[in-house]
Amino acid sequence: MKRPGNVTGDITRVRSIGVAAASAAVIVAVVAIATPRSQLASPGPLARPHVVASVSCEACHGARADVRPTSQPCIGCHGPHPSTRDGHRALARGGALDCATCHPAHGEAAGVTFAPDGRALRWSGDVATAASETGPPGITVPLVALSACTRCHDLARLGDPIRACAVLPQASPVNVCFDEHQSVSAPLGARGVCVRQHGEARFVAWDAARSVAADLGMPTVARSLAPWTWVASAMAAGGLAFAGMTASRRVAGRGSPKPGHPTPAAPVRVRLPQIDAGRCLGCHACVDACPFDVLAVERHVAVVARPEECCGVATCEKACPNGSLRLADEGQPVADQPRVDAHLESMDAPGIFLAGDLTGVPLIRNAILQGAGVADCVADGLLSENRAPTGGAGGGAELLVVGAGPAGLSAALRAKERGLSCVVLEQSTMAASIRAFPRGKVVHDPPIDLPLEGALWLRESTKEELLAQWRRVVRTHGLDVREGHRVTRVTRDTCGFAVSAQTASDVVTLRASRVLLAIGRRGTPRRLDADVAPSAASHVLYALSDARALAGRQVLVVGLGDSAMEAIVALARQPGTAITVSYRGAAFVRGRARNVEEVQRLAARGRIRVHFHSTVVRVDDRWVLVRDPGGLQRLRVDVVLALLGGVSSRRLLDAAGVRWASG
Amino acid sequence: MTAWPRTVWDSAWLRGLDPPGREQIEAAGSLRALDAGATLYRAGDAADAFFVVADGLVDVSAVRRGDGDASVIRRATVGEAVGEDAIVRVGATRSAAATCASRATVAGVPVSVFRRATERVGSDHAHRLDRALRAAAARDVFRASSLQRAMSARALDALVEAIDHRILGRGDVLFAQGDPATHAYVIADGMVQVLTEDDGRARICAYLSRGDLVVDGSLEGSGPHEVTVSACGPAWIVAIPRARLLDIASGSRALLLMGRLSASPPLPEATRHVLGDLWRFAAAGSMLVIDDEACARCGHCAWSCSRAHDDGVSRLLLRGDKVRVRDAASGESRAFVLPGSCQHCKHPACMVDCPTGAIGRDPRGEVFIRETLCIGCEQCVKACPWGSVQMAPRVAGRTVALPLASSRRVAVKCDACRDVEGGPACVSACPVDAIARVEPLAAMAEVRDAVVAPGPSRRLPQRRAAWPWLVGSVPVTAAMAAAHWTPMVSGVLSGLLCSLLAGYAIVKRVRPRRSGGSGRSRVRPHAIAHLALGVLAVGAVVAHAGASVPPNAAGALLVAFAIASMTGIAMALAYRMVPGALARIERFARLPEDLPNRARELEERAFGVLTGRSDEAKSVYQHMLAPYARRPLGPIFLLARGSAVRTEEERVRAWIERAVGAGVARLDGIDDLVRLVVERRAIGAQRVLQALLRAWLPAHVVAVAVALALLVVHVVCVARGR
């Protein structure tokens, strides 16, 4: 049964504990049933003399092994031993005192036996210790522990009769009652049984036993560990069951990476949504699902407001709760899209893969899934060609990725997981490849279910946080990402591809078996068309990686598109930063309404200065020359941030052999 | 065939509608005939319709700002309307009351249906009527606002013509510090907070609500705004161009001194957190809170919630913000965790966006979702500012009222167990009396002070103590242990006590038959009884068995009982001592399974904070703070010191200052890093403490199960032995 997402450990713990308790109880029951009944109630091991004499359970207990026998069986072997004391005799008649009260046959029994050669053996329970004293051979003297008496008697009470017998412990280590059954003065009769049990002189054996006990100390009955092991094993079983349930739940919750995760494919035709106005409830689910504001709710019914933005990915259809939104059956073929097959391999240039925004599929999470899917496909393909991943040996990478955006990084991660050698070439920095996504559209997007690649995806993060996350992922996994390498040409030769890239200073060529183009749609940042002094070249930036680094500086932002406006807003939040904007147009013509509003507000407040109709003429170390309707202006500037849009990479793709749908 | 009188359809509001529109309005609306003096609606009622007077007179009365009692602000005759404030947003509550001055007939027109009917006629028409309704509502607002003291009724009416309406959502900014000041504002509904930003930190100066005038500086000045005003929740603000206000109010000094905005001293640091989201507390009808210093993190509340509902989904998650508040009645300071559970707002944002009207409010104020109407569109999930609504699988086999509802998931949220016997299941299941529903406006001192709440104050829920019972049972136990009973008597007594102890598990699961619980935990008395019986049982067992362990089933039973008792005592001690320590080191309540993730998150966040910082800061982090965060025994030191999180942060900060000396000024951002590493260490400590709380229960239950099984064996053995 699939449980909803918010089942916490508190709730599932109850079942685990129940199972653990039940399994422990089962173990107890099993042991209880397996143990003979006699042992279950047994007060301890049989006394040694009885063991030696091979007395069976039936001899004393009769048919019912768990019933405490009367004194009859004892008398049957040992003969009657009435007490000399009136009180004890009265109790014996009443049945409250029997042989086993003082001479337990199990458990607490202890005594001294003299072996046939006269050596003494002190035993307790069924354990015996040898002693060096000797005594009359073949005689056993039972030792009655004081605890048998103190069940009824109280040594400390002044009027207690036991004070006459028992000397206080300090005076003598052993107190053995001699005259319980036979008075001291009475001689032992010539009865055979008595002589056999006690020897000719009862006194002698008794004295020898006393000295043995004094030497070796009063024997303590060996403790049986049976109850402890029983309980311990039951608890251990319960503990194992609990741990097992917890572990299985944790494994199930984490989920294993899904190799068969479907790679989002680019739609071939754009099918516009069609809304049944009679059934549409105006619930806004489709409006929230669409990343491009194609749908809107007017008069409580959804309508297609901007059909030209529709990308055909159909998240709106999935989000509609009652099926009033359906995609049309027919639609225009998607223009301006590269031709790729289901595995995102170019249909016209085999060996070259495409992923990310370039394929026409929007959203970062789709780019991540596509990148991972391509790396999987490449690894499977190389395996099937019997070229096991060499991990870099053989001169050249197995997979070369162009573009360090979400798709490219995801492919590099998955390649590393699969053991492929992989190099990522990025034309500027990872920061430049981050696209801003519309606020409020991804608030309820579920996280990506891939353990490693999912780390590239952060819900509701700022760009800085996302970038920091990506950098950390690259560092942790040791991905080979080379920034500042702009790929200029991809040529195919006999054993793979040769990729040429331009760095700041020279041109490098790399070899690869497979190439993944994850270059997005923005292209190469357009260079600033101005005279830049060589010493000032490092002051001209084409991407804003961290606004905080520019705190307190004088910044000139050239351009007024979405990227430029977002950079302006980020910089305006830094204390002490002076921001000037130079834009060649006349007004705010492009970009999202929200960005425009914020920048206009900043301008109205005087936080930034905007020069319309202005172009940058020259960039020096600390000065920038700007031409605007007022003539040439010299601005004191530390850093120039040129965010001027991009030059399309179409030529690179055409030269590589990638063809586009509909020309 | 319309049944409503002609006067209704001839009124300015409903003129010109076509027959289908009229039918819709009649079907959804209501026509009522009321006697003189009858109440049409009260202040605080849900406002989803306005009323057109067909016959008779209706008075609108409200408490004018600054008055103690309500007074009549307007009288409506035939053809006029009352209750136009429903146009503001669906789900608003009435700020005024309407009573009939004479025998009257009124027609109630629901606003949403009204809108659709007028739009059928044409959007111009709809727009004009909408604006007229708003103006009428605004007029009533002005009549009850602080402005009316300074201006004549005619001047107020003239003002209404000049206004324009702004509807703000939570967090939207009305104006920001530094913006040019062009308008003055009156708050018609909702609450806003006024804050200044110093060094990047926001400082709240004041809260303003319905009826207040928002103007800073002087009306005549034209400088920029000196403060930022943002909405705490959905708010309706009426904007008056300053120039116009000045024209109308020229010469009235009272007006110029009107604003309640002043440079008042900042609110005390200790209560900052509550006031950081004051609106949440003021809007809550019944908020579920967990006493952080009592909660044993046993999860019983979440478990009983999942059992109380058919779909097995718990509406309660033990994660949430921690706040420290003062009791309104006694002034004592308490720490509470706010779990992610519906707080039954007075203006439910979830209700507003529900397209099928599945979310409703019952007369007691509890907000509930009708599963038969829910289509799973998730609007409410997105609308709730605190994430109290979740999606859960639809329970199979339930009838669905709407044929359109085809989704497999429905929205669920806490409904205060309105159809469960015995009141909220979570509250009645807590064994330590830690969880309760409170009304913040009545019980929390800071909220009452800041919002000037009406009604009497109430105490925060109090916990029932166990120690008197335990102390009382100790002498009884000692007496039992020393008594000389026959084995049979002491055995039977022990067995009985053990069975009663085990019966606690059954008692916890039984659902009460009586409906309407007292709002207190039903399980707490049983938990106290369990503890006391445990003490007594120890005495009985000692009397029965002594201290020796016979090598048979009885011995095993004694061993199992000993283990059960010891784990039980450990658990009781842990429940008593650990929550206090835990409350000192956490700022946000987390579940044990969240803690490792949070630790990882903090590590990564540290890198995010470090990028772009100065080299000194980076080296301080690398050499001092990172080792501090990663030391394995660090959490133990933190616990041993017993300091709260803030104290520890200050200590680390002082340590850094001692090490770095004069260069401290260059360490920008070090405070964030200190906070992060201290939290990282606190996470380790939290794991230790939570393990201390939770580790005993499985061992205790398993030992009890073993002991019960062995008890059966022992009793059988003894019975056979007789």
Side-chain angles (χ1 to χ4, degrees):
Chain A
M1 176 179 81
K2 189 166 184 315
R3 302 208 75 130
N6 62 349
V7 173
T8 54
D10 297 329
I11 298 168
T12 50
R13 208 163 72 115
V14 176
R15 182 182 295 178
S16 306
I17 295 179
V19 165
S23 42
V26 160
I27 296 287
V28 168
V30 160
V31 173
I33 292 171
T35 314
R37 211 180 286 150
S38 52
Q39 278 187 41
L40 277 182
S42 150
L46 198 57
R48 190 175 178 280
H50 291 147
V51 173
V52 165
S54 302
V55 174
S56 68
C57 301
E58 287 78 29
C60 300
H61 290 278
R64 307 232 3 230
D66 50 350
V67 172
R68 186 189 163 99
T70 58
S71 298
Q72 288 312 309
C74 310
I75 294 172
C77 287
H78 295 275
H81 282 81
S83 173
T84 52
R85 299 185 166 90
D86 295 330
H88 289 175
R89 267 206 307 273
L91 284 172
R93 267 199 305 273
L97 192 74
D98 58 10
C99 300
T101 308
C102 304
H103 300 280
H106 293 262
E108 303 265 315
V112 175
T113 300
F114 297 99
D117 59 1
R119 265 183 318 118
L121 209 65
R122 200 213 66 195
W123 51 266
S124 65
D126 51 359
V127 174
T129 318
S132 55
E133 279 89 0
T134 54
I139 305 294
T140 298
V141 179
L143 295 170
V144 178
L146 204 58
S147 56
C149 311
T150 54
R151 252 186 235 139
C152 301
H153 291 278
D154 185 359
L155 267 178
R157 194 164 64 85
L158 282 175
D160 199 297
I162 204 176
R163 289 175 72 88
C165 315
V167 183
L168 291 176
Q170 290 94 307
S172 160
V174 173
N175 287 285
V176 181
C177 183
F178 186 65
D179 60 349
E180 171 67 20
H181 298 294
Q182 187 91 356
S183 122
V184 172
S185 49
L188 196 57
R191 288 178 287 187
V193 165
C194 304
V195 171
R196 264 205 312 279
Q197 289 194 30
H198 297 290
E200 289 286 344
R202 184 163 73 100
F203 182 93
V204 172
W206 181 82
D207 213 19
R210 219 161 72 105
S211 75
V212 166
D215 281 344
L216 293 181
M218 260 316 266
T220 47
V221 181
R223 294 233 163 262
S224 164
L225 285 179
W228 299 88
T229 48
W230 192 357
V231 172
S233 55
M235 300 269 314
L240 278 174
F242 183 72
M245 296 272 302
T246 313
S248 74
R249 205 181 48 237
R250 202 169 289 163
V251 163
R254 199 180 295 144
S256 44
K258 299 176 180 43
H261 208 110
T263 313
V268 175
R269 290 182 176 276
V270 174
R271 294 148 63 207
L272 286 179
Q274 287 182 325
I275 295 136
D276 180 353
R279 291 177 64 199
C280 174
L281 293 166
C283 72
H284 285 84
C286 56
V287 173
D288 287 337
C290 175
F292 295 121
D293 291 329
V294 172
L295 294 157
V297 169
E298 283 168 21
R299 301 205 209 171
H300 310 283
V301 161
V303 295
V304 178
R306 308 198 316 171
E308 66 277 3
E309 299 280 338
C310 182
C311 65
V313 170
T315 43
C316 50
E317 194 182 29
K318 288 195 204 86
C320 179
N322 68 350
S324 49
L325 188 149
R326 291 253 145 78
L327 293 191
D329 292 325
E330 285 297 317
Q332 298 284 6
V334 176
D336 213 24
Q337 222 166 257
R339 280 165 31 107
V340 289
D341 65 8
H343 296 290
L344 299 176
E345 189 172 10
S346 166
M347 291 204 257
D348 310 287
I352 297 186
F353 291 79
L354 282 75
D357 227 10
L358 184 59
T359 60
V361 177
L363 299 185
I364 292 186
R365 63 191 311 272
N366 287 330
I368 294 175
L369 291 170
Q370 283 185 332
V374 164
D376 267 335
C377 182
V378 164
D380 292 338
L382 287 178
L383 272 177
S384 69
E385 280 176 29
N386 287 327
R387 289 153 74 179
T390 53
E398 278 146 337
L399 176 64
L400 191 137
V401 178
V402 183
L409 290 180
S410 169
L413 267 181
R414 181 55 71 89
K416 189 157 168 98
E417 265 184 280
R418 300 287 301 259
L420 293 177
S421 66
C422 177
V423 175
V424 181
L425 300 177
E426 163 59 43
Q427 68 184 348
S428 64
T429 59
M430 277 200 281
S433 65
I434 289 184
R435 292 283 208 91
F437 35 91
R439 178 178 162 276
K441 294 295 189 188
V442 294
V443 165
H444 291 276
D445 228 2
I448 296 183
D449 217 356
L450 304 170
L452 278 193
E453 293 77 12
L456 291 169
W457 169 249
L458 285 181
R459 289 168 52 181
E460 285 209 69
S461 56
T462 63
K463 280 176 20 180
E464 280 85 10
E465 282 172 8
L466 194 59
L467 180 63
Q469 174 73 354
W470 285 2
R471 286 213 185 101
R472 184 161 163 70
V473 166
V474 167
R475 187 176 41 232
T476 320
H477 296 278
L479 302 179
D480 186 358
V481 176
R482 304 182 195 179
E483 293 179 338
H485 286 61
R486 184 164 76 86
V487 169
T488 46
R489 205 173 34 219
V490 175
T491 18
R492 180 196 301 274
D493 56 28
T494 43
C495 50
F497 295 90
V499 177
S500 343
Q502 172 127 33
T503 61
S505 39
D506 57 29
V507 177
V508 300
T509 306
L510 293 157
R511 296 203 50 77
S513 316
R514 301 278 185 274
V515 173
L516 168 61
L517 300 172
I519 56 181
R521 290 202 170 222
R522 285 185 320 147
T524 309
R526 195 169 275 129
R527 299 315 258 198
L528 185 62
D529 183 22
D531 193 9
V532 179
S535 56
S538 57
H539 294 177
V540 178
L541 303 177
Y542 289 94
L544 179 66
S545 52
D546 194 345
R548 281 179 298 194
L550 297 179
R553 310 284 206 85
Q554 319 239 30
V555 183
L556 174 71
V557 177
V558 186
L560 210 47
D562 269 325
S563 319
M565 288 197 283
E566 279 161 15
I568 292 169
V569 169
L571 286 168
R573 269 194 233 120
Q574 305 307 316
T577 314
I579 304 159
T580 317
V581 181
S582 157
Y583 183 50
R584 65 172 181 194
F588 290 88
V589 296
R590 43 165 25 115
R592 258 176 242 122
R594 209 186 123 79
N595 287 337
V596 172
E597 193 187 295
E598 288 210 36
V599 175
Q600 279 177 333
R601 196 177 223 167
L602 287 170
R605 278 167 44 179
R607 179 77 180 86
I608 63 174
R609 286 179 44 203
V610 184
H611 296 255
F612 287 110
H613 291 295
S614 70
T615 45
V616 175
V617 172
R618 182 172 166 82
V619 177
D620 256 324
D621 239 351
R622 290 171 170 225
W623 299 96
V624 170
L625 218 56
V626 165
R627 185 198 307 274
D628 71 0
L632 275 179
Q633 305 237 16
R634 208 175 146 99
L635 299 170
R636 166 81 182 81
V637 157
D638 291 325
V639 170
V640 176
L641 190 56
L643 297 167
L644 302 162
V647 175
S648 149
S649 323
R650 189 64 184 261
R651 211 175 325 155
L652 167 68
L653 292 162
D654 287 342
V658 175
R659 295 283 166 263
W660 294 76
S662 75
Chain B
M1 193 60 189
T2 55
W4 286 10
R6 280 219 67 78
T7 45
V8 174
W9 300 119
D10 282 343
S11 72
W13 307 108
L14 300 174
R15 203 177 293 160
L17 292 175
D18 60 356
R22 291 190 196 182
E23 273 170 23
Q24 279 177 6
I25 290 183
E26 280 204 2
S30 60
L31 188 71
R32 296 157 67 180
L34 298 163
D35 293 324
T39 311
L40 185 55
Y41 58 79
R42 285 190 192 83
D45 282 351
D48 55 5
F50 67 94
F51 298 89
V52 176
V53 181
D55 183 30
L57 296 167
V58 176
D59 281 340
V60 177
S61 52
V63 177
R64 286 180 215 251
R65 202 94 177 104
D67 282 351
D69 292 323
S71 48
V72 175
I73 56 175
R74 175 160 75 95
R75 172 163 286 191
T77 62
V78 176
E80 290 177 358
V82 297
E84 301 95 331
D85 53 354
I87 196 78
V88 173
R89 47 175 214 292
V90 174
T93 52
R94 302 278 183 205
S95 50
T99 44
C100 299
S102 69
R103 231 188 121 66
T105 312
V106 287
V109 179
V111 166
S112 44
V113 180
F114 173 73
R115 278 207 176 105
R116 284 172 204 248
T118 50
E119 276 169 12
R120 291 176 66 91
V121 174
S123 54
D124 282 348
H125 183 78
H127 186 66
R128 209 161 7 110
L129 281 176
D130 198 280
R131 204 184 145 73
L133 273 177
R134 279 184 205 279
R139 204 172 275 125
D140 277 348
V141 167
F142 281 145
R143 286 199 192 100
S145 75
S146 43
L147 277 179
Q148 49 82 25
R149 295 189 175 283
M151 298 171 68
S152 66
R154 230 189 31 218
L156 274 177
D157 281 342
L159 195 55
V160 167
E161 300 309 317
I163 60 177
D164 108 85
H165 301 268
R166 311 259 172 98
I167 307 283
L168 298 180
R170 175 179 160 99
D172 286 349
V173 166
L174 182 61
F175 54 78
Q177 203 168 351
D179 282 353
T182 52
H183 287 74
Y185 303 90
V186 174
I187 300 176
D189 195 31
M191 180 188 286
V192 300
Q193 62 188 17
V194 180
L195 37 93
T196 53
E197 252 173 88
D198 310 311
D199 316 320
R201 285 196 179 277
R203 223 186 48 157
I204 299 176
C205 302
Y207 284 91
L208 302 174
S209 61
R210 182 184 278 162
D212 286 326
L213 175 68
V214 182
V215 60
D216 59 337
S218 71
L219 270 183
E220 292 117 338
S222 58
H225 281 295
E226 290 153 6
V227 293
T228 304
V229 169
S230 68
C232 300
W236 172 30
I237 316 276
V238 163
I240 311 163
R242 277 198 181 197
R244 202 64 222 277
L245 184 61
L246 278 174
D247 282 342
I248 296 169
S250 56
S252 167
R253 277 221 58 85
L255 181 61
L256 298 177
L257 296 173
M258 188 70 54
R260 259 179 55 173
L261 233 65
S262 58
S264 47
L267 300 154
E269 183 74 71
T271 56
R272 189 182 178 77
H273 193 116
V274 175
L275 291 171
D277 198 2
L278 179 66
W279 189 74
R280 179 179 189 178
F281 292 88
S286 161
M287 182 181 258
L288 193 68
V289 297
I290 300 178
D291 189 336
D292 202 25
E293 283 151 352
C295 173
R297 278 91 174 151
C298 64
H300 218 247
C301 43
W303 174 74
S304 64
C305 181
S306 70
R307 282 180 78 233
H309 296 274
D310 291 333
D311 52 10
V313 173
S314 167
R315 276 87 164 120
L316 167 64
L317 290 178
L318 296 174
R319 302 173 176 121
D321 290 315
K322 197 182 111 177
V323 295
R324 196 160 262 286
V325 293
R326 271 182 306 122
D327 189 319
S330 67
E332 67 170 310
S333 167
R334 305 268 296 265
F336 285 114
V337 168
L338 309 176
S341 176
C342 176
Q343 60 187 40
H344 302 279
C345 299
K346 298 181 185 120
H347 305 246
C350 54
M351 207 158 88
V352 169
D353 288 319
C354 181
T356 58
I359 302 186
R361 249 173 76 157
D362 76 9
R364 274 186 307 187
E366 283 154 7
V367 180
F368 59 92
I369 304 180
R370 282 177 272 255
E371 198 187 299
T372 53
L373 287 175
C374 178
I375 55 166
C377 70
E378 298 194 37
Q379 287 304 107
C380 51
V381 176
K382 292 172 203 163
C384 177
W386 304 291
S388 302
V389 190
Q390 303 114 285
M391 300 304 289
R394 196 187 281 274
V395 175
R398 289 273 180 80
T399 55
V400 175
L402 286 178
L404 319 168
S406 58
S407 69
R408 284 200 302 277
R409 301 203 303 173
V410 288
V412 295
K413 67 168 192 66
C414 170
D415 58 0
C417 286
R418 52 198 286 275
D419 26 277
V420 169
E421 307 277 341
C426 54
V427 173
S428 51
C430 182
V432 288
D433 262 350
I435 187 169
R437 298 206 81 99
V438 302
E439 212 188 302
L441 270 178
M444 295 185 186
E446 294 89 346
V447 179
R448 283 181 72 83
D449 292 342
V451 175
V452 190
S457 68
R458 255 185 248 147
R459 282 208 86 180
L460 287 167
Q462 301 297 306
R463 302 177 44 230
R464 286 167 282 196
W467 65 266
W469 295 94
L470 292 178
V471 165
S473 53
V474 165
V476 178
T477 304
M480 274 181 7
H484 292 290
W485 282 326
T486 61
M488 185 64 166
V489 166
S490 60
V492 165
L493 185 64
S494 313
L496 191 67
L497 283 172
C498 289
S499 313
L500 282 178
L501 282 173
Y504 175 56
I506 299 172
V507 152
K508 281 201 295 191
R509 284 162 169 77
V510 163
R511 298 193 202 181
R513 221 128 311 173
R514 294 189 329 257
S515 62
S518 61
R520 304 197 79 189
S521 167
R522 191 182 49 83
V523 170
R524 177 65 174 159
H526 294 294
I528 297 179
H530 185 76
L531 287 173
L533 281 176
V535 177
L536 292 176
V538 168
V541 167
V542 165
H544 178 61
S548 62
V549 178
N552 52 18
L557 173 59
L558 189 62
V559 171
F561 179 83
I563 296 179
S565 308
M566 288 194 299
T567 48
I569 290 170
M571 205 155 79
L573 285 174
Y575 279 20
R576 181 76 182 82
M577 302 195 318
V578 172
L582 203 44
R584 272 201 298 274
I585 58 168
E586 64 180 5
R587 279 205 174 96
F588 188 88
R590 286 176 211 281
L591 288 165
E593 55 252 40
D594 295 339
L595 291 174
N597 295 338
R598 178 71 181 159
R600 263 197 301 274
E601 203 181 315
L602 284 173
E603 299 262 350
E604 288 164 11
R605 183 82 68 82
F607 284 100
V609 169
L610 271 178
T611 49
R613 299 270 177 234
S614 61
D615 285 333
E616 285 95 346
K618 284 184 183 160
S619 87
V620 163
Y621 178 77
Q622 195 183 342
H623 295 294
M624 295 177 76
L625 292 179
Y628 170 88
R630 290 196 195 124
R631 197 167 301 148
L633 283 183
I636 307 293
F637 292 141
L638 179 63
L639 287 175
R641 224 173 260 126
S643 46
V645 178
R646 199 171 285 169
T647 329
E648 182 70 11
E649 280 172 13
E650 283 161 18
R651 194 186 72 86
V652 171
R653 175 93 214 194
W655 173 44
I656 293 177
E657 277 172 20
R658 272 198 312 274
V660 173
V664 159
R666 279 201 300 278
L667 294 178
D668 53 323
I670 206 70
D671 281 334
D672 286 338
L673 284 171
V674 168
R675 220 179 138 93
L676 277 176
V677 296
V678 169
E679 194 186 336
R680 176 75 185 80
R681 184 173 272 202
I683 297 250
Q686 275 179 295
R687 292 182 82 167
V688 167
L689 290 176
Q690 288 202 353
L692 270 180
L693 278 175
R694 291 161 73 103
W696 304 111
L697 185 65
H700 185 67
V701 172
V702 168
V704 165
V706 169
L708 284 177
L710 283 167
L711 180 64
V712 168
V713 172
H714 177 59
V715 168
V716 164
C717 284
V718 168
R720 283 179 180 283
R722 294 251 150 243

